[in-house]
Amino acid sequence: MADTKKIVHINFKAYFEDAGKMYDTNIEECAKENGLYNEKVSYAPMAYVVGSKGFYPEVDEAIANAEIGKEIEVVVPCEKAAGARNPRLIELHSIKDFYKAEINPYPGMTVSLGNRSGTVMSVGAGRVKVDFNSPLAGHDLSYKVTVVDEVTDAVEKAKAIMEIDFGSSDDFGFAIMEDKVVVTEADICKFHESWPVAKYRLVSDYRSVFGLDRVEFVEIWESAKKAEDAPAE
């Protein structure tokens, strides 16, 4: 068995290069300082499979060659990032469409219409102007990334991939063998609506990282243990 891709933990800060404004980070202190903090987000070094295309190619290449503990900075020009803004993606919609969906639109609000995500630009005269361009469109982007460590233990790699693809590795079991990867499913998988889709990503990533074709998922059902009779007093 030979690993084909490496996994690292990273901290990152992402900026609009032209404005010098941060728009994303996984560092709690930075998120709070820049008005990006979300109490629902777990801030911690992020597991990343090098070569997985989770970042733009220029950033991914820099991560692959980075020294552990040393911050690197990469600028991705607009044309290689989200591209230029398209005026045709700025549309006017009837405010009634929002009210029907029980949405009270306001400037800056992120909305979903017809399976598309956009940002409300203005509201008035029964019409809502929505920008369906990517929020990153029209900007050069700057990334400051620090590789915290490289994950080398096989089971820890399996856990990291689970965290990337499913969001958590809690209560899962992992066994990495010569010819296969075996994942013992957590109880949450029995009713989590995202699990069936996550399994397809997991199979692809486990094959890629461990260089193995076979991935097994073990589902365990246990009956509740009967409470023992209390001893007589």
Side-chain angles (χ1 to χ4, degrees), residues 117-169:
S117 180
T119 303
V120 175
M121 298 180 68
S122 63
V123 180
R127 293 285 185 269
V128 180
K129 182 182 288 187
V130 183
D131 185 358
F132 289 102
N133 282 284
S134 164
L136 305 183
H139 296 280
D140 294 342
L141 305 177
S142 173
Y143 292 86
K144 294 182 179 180
V145 184
T146 301
V147 176
V148 177
D149 59 44
E150 181 178 351
V151 183
T152 57
D153 179 77
V155 171
E156 292 302 316
K157 284 189 174 186
K159 287 183 180 179
I161 294 170
M162 182 65 70
E163 291 166 5
I164 294 169
D165 290 344
F166 187 57
S168 173
S169 63

Short mmCIF file of all heavy atoms in Angstrom, two decimals, residues 117-169:
data_model
loop_
_atom_site.label_atom_id
_atom_site.label_comp_id
_atom_site.label_asym_id
_atom_site.label_seq_id
_atom_site.Cartn_x
_atom_site.Cartn_y
_atom_site.Cartn_z
N SER A 117 -27.76 31.35 -6.05
CA SER A 117 -27.52 32.19 -4.88
C SER A 117 -27.05 33.56 -5.33
O SER A 117 -26.19 33.69 -6.21
CB SER A 117 -26.47 31.54 -3.97
OG SER A 117 -26.23 32.34 -2.84
N GLY A 118 -27.64 34.60 -4.73
CA GLY A 118 -27.26 35.95 -5.09
C GLY A 118 -27.30 36.88 -3.90
O GLY A 118 -27.69 36.49 -2.80
N THR A 119 -26.91 38.14 -4.11
CA THR A 119 -26.91 39.15 -3.07
C THR A 119 -27.83 40.29 -3.45
O THR A 119 -27.74 40.82 -4.57
CB THR A 119 -25.48 39.70 -2.85
OG1 THR A 119 -24.60 38.63 -2.55
CG2 THR A 119 -25.46 40.72 -1.73
N VAL A 120 -28.72 40.65 -2.54
CA VAL A 120 -29.64 41.76 -2.80
C VAL A 120 -28.86 43.07 -2.83
O VAL A 120 -28.13 43.40 -1.90
CB VAL A 120 -30.73 41.83 -1.71
CG1 VAL A 120 -31.61 43.07 -1.92
CG2 VAL A 120 -31.58 40.57 -1.73
N MET A 121 -29.02 43.82 -3.94
CA MET A 121 -28.33 45.10 -4.09
C MET A 121 -29.21 46.26 -3.63
O MET A 121 -28.73 47.20 -3.00
CB MET A 121 -27.90 45.30 -5.55
CG MET A 121 -26.93 44.26 -6.06
SD MET A 121 -26.46 44.56 -7.79
CE MET A 121 -25.52 46.09 -7.63
N SER A 122 -30.51 46.20 -3.98
CA SER A 122 -31.42 47.28 -3.60
C SER A 122 -32.84 46.77 -3.62
O SER A 122 -33.16 45.78 -4.27
CB SER A 122 -31.26 48.47 -4.55
OG SER A 122 -31.62 48.10 -5.88
N VAL A 123 -33.70 47.48 -2.88
CA VAL A 123 -35.12 47.14 -2.80
C VAL A 123 -35.92 48.42 -2.97
O VAL A 123 -35.66 49.42 -2.29
CB VAL A 123 -35.48 46.49 -1.45
CG1 VAL A 123 -36.97 46.14 -1.40
CG2 VAL A 123 -34.63 45.26 -1.19
N GLY A 124 -36.91 48.40 -3.90
CA GLY A 124 -37.73 49.59 -4.07
C GLY A 124 -38.70 49.46 -5.23
O GLY A 124 -38.45 48.71 -6.18
N ALA A 125 -39.82 50.19 -5.15
CA ALA A 125 -40.83 50.24 -6.22
C ALA A 125 -41.29 48.85 -6.65
O ALA A 125 -41.52 48.60 -7.84
CB ALA A 125 -40.28 51.00 -7.43
N GLY A 126 -41.42 47.96 -5.68
CA GLY A 126 -41.92 46.62 -5.98
C GLY A 126 -40.93 45.73 -6.67
O GLY A 126 -41.27 44.63 -7.12
N ARG A 127 -39.69 46.17 -6.78
CA ARG A 127 -38.65 45.39 -7.46
C ARG A 127 -37.44 45.22 -6.55
O ARG A 127 -37.11 46.09 -5.74
CB ARG A 127 -38.20 46.07 -8.77
CG ARG A 127 -39.28 46.11 -9.84
CD ARG A 127 -39.44 44.74 -10.46
NE ARG A 127 -40.37 44.75 -11.57
CZ ARG A 127 -41.67 44.53 -11.49
NH1 ARG A 127 -42.21 44.29 -10.29
NH2 ARG A 127 -42.45 44.55 -12.54
N VAL A 128 -36.78 44.08 -6.72
CA VAL A 128 -35.57 43.79 -5.96
C VAL A 128 -34.44 43.51 -6.94
O VAL A 128 -34.57 42.65 -7.81
CB VAL A 128 -35.76 42.57 -5.03
CG1 VAL A 128 -34.48 42.29 -4.25
CG2 VAL A 128 -36.93 42.80 -4.08
N LYS A 129 -33.36 44.25 -6.81
CA LYS A 129 -32.19 44.04 -7.68
C LYS A 129 -31.26 43.04 -6.99
O LYS A 129 -30.84 43.25 -5.86
CB LYS A 129 -31.44 45.34 -7.95
CG LYS A 129 -30.25 45.18 -8.89
CD LYS A 129 -29.50 46.49 -9.08
CE LYS A 129 -30.30 47.45 -9.93
NZ LYS A 129 -29.50 48.68 -10.25
N VAL A 130 -30.98 41.92 -7.71
CA VAL A 130 -30.16 40.85 -7.14
C VAL A 130 -28.94 40.61 -8.02
O VAL A 130 -29.06 40.52 -9.25
CB VAL A 130 -30.97 39.55 -7.01
CG1 VAL A 130 -30.12 38.46 -6.35
CG2 VAL A 130 -32.25 39.76 -6.21
N ASP A 131 -27.79 40.53 -7.39
CA ASP A 131 -26.54 40.25 -8.09
C ASP A 131 -26.21 38.77 -7.93
O ASP A 131 -25.92 38.31 -6.82
CB ASP A 131 -25.42 41.11 -7.51
CG ASP A 131 -24.11 40.96 -8.27
OD1 ASP A 131 -24.05 40.16 -9.22
OD2 ASP A 131 -23.13 41.65 -7.89
N PHE A 132 -26.25 38.03 -9.05
CA PHE A 132 -25.95 36.60 -9.01
C PHE A 132 -24.49 36.29 -9.34
O PHE A 132 -24.12 35.14 -9.51
CB PHE A 132 -26.89 35.85 -9.97
CG PHE A 132 -28.31 35.78 -9.50
CD1 PHE A 132 -29.28 36.63 -10.03
CD2 PHE A 132 -28.69 34.91 -8.50
CE1 PHE A 132 -30.59 36.59 -9.60
CE2 PHE A 132 -30.00 34.85 -8.05
CZ PHE A 132 -30.95 35.70 -8.60
N ASN A 133 -23.67 37.32 -9.46
CA ASN A 133 -22.24 37.08 -9.62
C ASN A 133 -21.68 36.49 -8.33
O ASN A 133 -22.20 36.72 -7.24
CB ASN A 133 -21.51 38.40 -9.90
CG ASN A 133 -21.64 38.87 -11.32
OD1 ASN A 133 -20.98 38.33 -12.21
ND2 ASN A 133 -22.50 39.86 -11.55
N SER A 134 -20.62 35.72 -8.47
CA SER A 134 -19.92 35.24 -7.28
C SER A 134 -19.42 36.45 -6.50
O SER A 134 -18.97 37.44 -7.10
CB SER A 134 -18.72 34.36 -7.68
OG SER A 134 -17.83 34.20 -6.59
N PRO A 135 -19.48 36.41 -5.16
CA PRO A 135 -18.95 37.52 -4.37
C PRO A 135 -17.47 37.77 -4.64
O PRO A 135 -16.96 38.85 -4.35
CB PRO A 135 -19.17 37.05 -2.92
CG PRO A 135 -20.29 36.07 -3.01
CD PRO A 135 -20.10 35.37 -4.32
N LEU A 136 -16.78 36.76 -5.20
CA LEU A 136 -15.35 36.90 -5.48
C LEU A 136 -15.08 37.46 -6.87
O LEU A 136 -13.94 37.79 -7.20
CB LEU A 136 -14.66 35.54 -5.34
CG LEU A 136 -14.84 34.81 -4.02
CD1 LEU A 136 -14.03 33.52 -4.01
CD2 LEU A 136 -14.47 35.68 -2.83
N ALA A 137 -16.13 37.55 -7.71
CA ALA A 137 -15.94 37.99 -9.09
C ALA A 137 -15.43 39.43 -9.12
O ALA A 137 -15.84 40.28 -8.34
CB ALA A 137 -17.26 37.88 -9.85
N GLY A 138 -14.52 39.68 -10.06
CA GLY A 138 -13.99 41.02 -10.25
C GLY A 138 -12.86 41.39 -9.32
O GLY A 138 -12.41 42.54 -9.30
N HIS A 139 -12.38 40.44 -8.53
CA HIS A 139 -11.33 40.74 -7.55
C HIS A 139 -10.10 39.86 -7.76
O HIS A 139 -10.23 38.66 -8.03
CB HIS A 139 -11.84 40.50 -6.13
CG HIS A 139 -12.95 41.40 -5.70
ND1 HIS A 139 -12.75 42.69 -5.27
CD2 HIS A 139 -14.30 41.18 -5.64
CE1 HIS A 139 -13.92 43.23 -4.95
NE2 HIS A 139 -14.87 42.34 -5.17
N ASP A 140 -8.92 40.46 -7.59
CA ASP A 140 -7.72 39.67 -7.35
C ASP A 140 -7.80 39.19 -5.90
O ASP A 140 -8.27 39.93 -5.03
CB ASP A 140 -6.45 40.51 -7.54
CG ASP A 140 -6.25 40.96 -8.98
OD1 ASP A 140 -6.88 40.37 -9.88
OD2 ASP A 140 -5.49 41.93 -9.19
N LEU A 141 -7.37 37.96 -5.66
CA LEU A 141 -7.49 37.40 -4.32
C LEU A 141 -6.11 37.10 -3.73
O LEU A 141 -5.20 36.70 -4.45
CB LEU A 141 -8.30 36.10 -4.36
CG LEU A 141 -9.69 36.20 -4.99
CD1 LEU A 141 -10.36 34.83 -5.03
CD2 LEU A 141 -10.57 37.20 -4.26
N SER A 142 -5.99 37.31 -2.43
CA SER A 142 -4.73 37.04 -1.75
C SER A 142 -4.98 36.03 -0.64
O SER A 142 -5.94 36.16 0.12
CB SER A 142 -4.17 38.34 -1.15
OG SER A 142 -3.04 38.07 -0.35
N TYR A 143 -4.10 35.03 -0.57
CA TYR A 143 -4.21 33.99 0.46
C TYR A 143 -2.93 33.95 1.28
O TYR A 143 -1.83 33.91 0.73
CB TYR A 143 -4.44 32.62 -0.17
CG TYR A 143 -5.79 32.47 -0.84
CD1 TYR A 143 -5.97 32.87 -2.15
CD2 TYR A 143 -6.88 31.93 -0.16
CE1 TYR A 143 -7.21 32.75 -2.78
CE2 TYR A 143 -8.11 31.80 -0.76
CZ TYR A 143 -8.27 32.21 -2.08
OH TYR A 143 -9.50 32.08 -2.68
N LYS A 144 -3.09 33.97 2.59
CA LYS A 144 -1.98 33.76 3.51
C LYS A 144 -2.23 32.43 4.21
O LYS A 144 -3.24 32.29 4.93
CB LYS A 144 -1.86 34.91 4.51
CG LYS A 144 -1.50 36.24 3.85
CD LYS A 144 -1.35 37.35 4.88
CE LYS A 144 -0.97 38.66 4.21
NZ LYS A 144 -0.82 39.78 5.20
N VAL A 145 -1.36 31.47 3.99
CA VAL A 145 -1.58 30.11 4.47
C VAL A 145 -0.38 29.63 5.27
O VAL A 145 0.77 29.85 4.88
CB VAL A 145 -1.84 29.14 3.30
CG1 VAL A 145 -2.18 27.75 3.83
CG2 VAL A 145 -2.95 29.66 2.40
N THR A 146 -0.67 28.96 6.39
CA THR A 146 0.38 28.32 7.19
C THR A 146 0.06 26.85 7.33
O THR A 146 -1.04 26.49 7.77
CB THR A 146 0.47 28.95 8.59
OG1 THR A 146 0.74 30.34 8.48
CG2 THR A 146 1.58 28.27 9.40
N VAL A 147 1.00 26.00 6.92
CA VAL A 147 0.86 24.56 7.14
C VAL A 147 1.25 24.28 8.59
O VAL A 147 2.39 24.48 8.98
CB VAL A 147 1.73 23.75 6.17
CG1 VAL A 147 1.63 22.26 6.50
CG2 VAL A 147 1.29 23.98 4.73
N VAL A 148 0.28 23.85 9.38
CA VAL A 148 0.52 23.61 10.81
C VAL A 148 1.27 22.30 11.03
O VAL A 148 2.21 22.23 11.82
CB VAL A 148 -0.82 23.58 11.58
CG1 VAL A 148 -0.60 23.27 13.05
CG2 VAL A 148 -1.56 24.90 11.41
N ASP A 149 0.84 21.25 10.33
CA ASP A 149 1.52 19.96 10.43
C ASP A 149 1.08 19.07 9.26
O ASP A 149 0.14 19.39 8.54
CB ASP A 149 1.23 19.26 11.76
CG ASP A 149 -0.25 19.00 11.99
OD1 ASP A 149 -0.94 18.56 11.05
OD2 ASP A 149 -0.74 19.24 13.11
N GLU A 150 1.80 17.99 9.08
CA GLU A 150 1.42 16.99 8.08
C GLU A 150 0.89 15.77 8.82
O GLU A 150 1.49 15.32 9.81
CB GLU A 150 2.60 16.58 7.20
CG GLU A 150 2.20 15.55 6.15
CD GLU A 150 3.35 15.16 5.22
OE1 GLU A 150 4.41 15.82 5.29
OE2 GLU A 150 3.18 14.20 4.44
N VAL A 151 -0.23 15.24 8.35
CA VAL A 151 -0.83 14.06 8.96
C VAL A 151 -0.18 12.83 8.33
O VAL A 151 -0.29 12.60 7.13
CB VAL A 151 -2.36 14.02 8.73
CG1 VAL A 151 -2.97 12.81 9.43
CG2 VAL A 151 -3.00 15.31 9.22
N THR A 152 0.51 12.03 9.16
CA THR A 152 1.23 10.87 8.63
C THR A 152 0.66 9.54 9.08
O THR A 152 0.79 8.54 8.38
CB THR A 152 2.72 10.94 9.03
OG1 THR A 152 2.82 11.02 10.45
CG2 THR A 152 3.39 12.17 8.40
N ASP A 153 0.02 9.50 10.24
CA ASP A 153 -0.58 8.26 10.73
C ASP A 153 -1.79 7.89 9.87
O ASP A 153 -2.63 8.74 9.56
CB ASP A 153 -1.01 8.43 12.19
CG ASP A 153 -1.66 7.17 12.74
OD1 ASP A 153 -0.93 6.22 13.06
OD2 ASP A 153 -2.91 7.15 12.81
N ALA A 154 -1.89 6.62 9.49
CA ALA A 154 -2.93 6.18 8.56
C ALA A 154 -4.34 6.41 9.11
O ALA A 154 -5.22 6.90 8.40
CB ALA A 154 -2.74 4.70 8.22
N VAL A 155 -4.56 6.05 10.37
CA VAL A 155 -5.89 6.23 10.95
C VAL A 155 -6.22 7.71 11.07
O VAL A 155 -7.36 8.13 10.81
CB VAL A 155 -5.97 5.55 12.34
CG1 VAL A 155 -7.28 5.94 13.04
CG2 VAL A 155 -5.90 4.03 12.18
N GLU A 156 -5.24 8.54 11.43
CA GLU A 156 -5.48 9.97 11.53
C GLU A 156 -5.79 10.56 10.16
O GLU A 156 -6.58 11.51 10.04
CB GLU A 156 -4.27 10.67 12.15
CG GLU A 156 -4.05 10.34 13.62
CD GLU A 156 -5.26 10.69 14.47
OE1 GLU A 156 -5.83 11.79 14.27
OE2 GLU A 156 -5.65 9.86 15.33
N LYS A 157 -5.19 10.00 9.12
CA LYS A 157 -5.53 10.44 7.76
C LYS A 157 -6.98 10.11 7.44
O LYS A 157 -7.72 10.91 6.87
CB LYS A 157 -4.61 9.76 6.74
CG LYS A 157 -3.22 10.32 6.66
CD LYS A 157 -2.47 9.73 5.48
CE LYS A 157 -1.13 10.40 5.29
NZ LYS A 157 -0.42 9.94 4.07
N ALA A 158 -7.40 8.90 7.82
CA ALA A 158 -8.78 8.49 7.57
C ALA A 158 -9.75 9.39 8.30
O ALA A 158 -10.80 9.77 7.77
CB ALA A 158 -8.97 7.04 7.99
N LYS A 159 -9.41 9.76 9.54
CA LYS A 159 -10.25 10.66 10.31
C LYS A 159 -10.32 12.04 9.64
O LYS A 159 -11.39 12.65 9.55
CB LYS A 159 -9.69 10.82 11.73
CG LYS A 159 -9.89 9.62 12.63
CD LYS A 159 -9.35 9.92 14.03
CE LYS A 159 -9.54 8.74 14.97
NZ LYS A 159 -9.00 9.04 16.32
N ALA A 160 -9.18 12.52 9.18
CA ALA A 160 -9.14 13.84 8.55
C ALA A 160 -10.02 13.88 7.30
O ALA A 160 -10.73 14.87 7.07
CB ALA A 160 -7.69 14.20 8.19
N ILE A 161 -9.98 12.83 6.51
CA ILE A 161 -10.81 12.78 5.31
C ILE A 161 -12.28 12.77 5.68
O ILE A 161 -13.11 13.42 5.02
CB ILE A 161 -10.44 11.54 4.46
CG1 ILE A 161 -9.02 11.69 3.92
CG2 ILE A 161 -11.42 11.36 3.29
CD1 ILE A 161 -8.48 10.43 3.29
N MET A 162 -12.63 12.05 6.75
CA MET A 162 -14.01 12.04 7.21
C MET A 162 -14.45 13.45 7.62
O MET A 162 -15.58 13.88 7.32
CB MET A 162 -14.17 11.06 8.38
CG MET A 162 -15.59 10.95 8.91
SD MET A 162 -16.77 10.25 7.72
CE MET A 162 -16.17 8.54 7.66
N GLU A 163 -13.57 14.18 8.29
CA GLU A 163 -13.89 15.54 8.72
C GLU A 163 -14.09 16.45 7.51
O GLU A 163 -14.97 17.31 7.51
CB GLU A 163 -12.79 16.07 9.63
CG GLU A 163 -12.74 15.37 10.98
CD GLU A 163 -11.47 15.65 11.76
OE1 GLU A 163 -10.65 16.48 11.27
OE2 GLU A 163 -11.28 15.06 12.83
N ILE A 164 -13.29 16.26 6.48
CA ILE A 164 -13.40 17.08 5.28
C ILE A 164 -14.71 16.79 4.55
O ILE A 164 -15.44 17.70 4.14
CB ILE A 164 -12.22 16.82 4.33
CG1 ILE A 164 -10.91 17.32 4.96
CG2 ILE A 164 -12.44 17.52 2.98
CD1 ILE A 164 -9.66 16.87 4.22
N ASP A 165 -15.04 15.52 4.39
CA ASP A 165 -16.17 15.13 3.55
C ASP A 165 -17.50 15.07 4.28
O ASP A 165 -18.56 15.24 3.66
CB ASP A 165 -15.90 13.75 2.92
CG ASP A 165 -14.80 13.80 1.87
OD1 ASP A 165 -14.47 14.91 1.42
OD2 ASP A 165 -14.29 12.73 1.50
N PHE A 166 -17.46 14.85 5.60
CA PHE A 166 -18.71 14.69 6.35
C PHE A 166 -18.87 15.71 7.46
O PHE A 166 -19.97 15.91 7.97
CB PHE A 166 -18.80 13.27 6.93
CG PHE A 166 -20.12 12.94 7.57
CD1 PHE A 166 -21.31 13.03 6.85
CD2 PHE A 166 -20.18 12.54 8.89
CE1 PHE A 166 -22.53 12.73 7.45
CE2 PHE A 166 -21.39 12.22 9.50
CZ PHE A 166 -22.57 12.33 8.76
N GLY A 167 -17.77 16.35 7.84
CA GLY A 167 -17.83 17.39 8.86
C GLY A 167 -17.41 16.95 10.24
O GLY A 167 -17.10 17.78 11.09
N SER A 168 -17.40 15.65 10.50
CA SER A 168 -17.00 15.15 11.82
C SER A 168 -16.56 13.69 11.70
O SER A 168 -17.09 12.94 10.87
CB SER A 168 -18.17 15.24 12.79
OG SER A 168 -17.86 14.62 14.03
N SER A 169 -15.61 13.31 12.53
CA SER A 169 -15.16 11.90 12.58
C SER A 169 -15.52 11.27 13.92
O SER A 169 -15.11 10.15 14.21
CB SER A 169 -13.64 11.83 12.36
OG SER A 169 -12.94 12.50 13.41
#
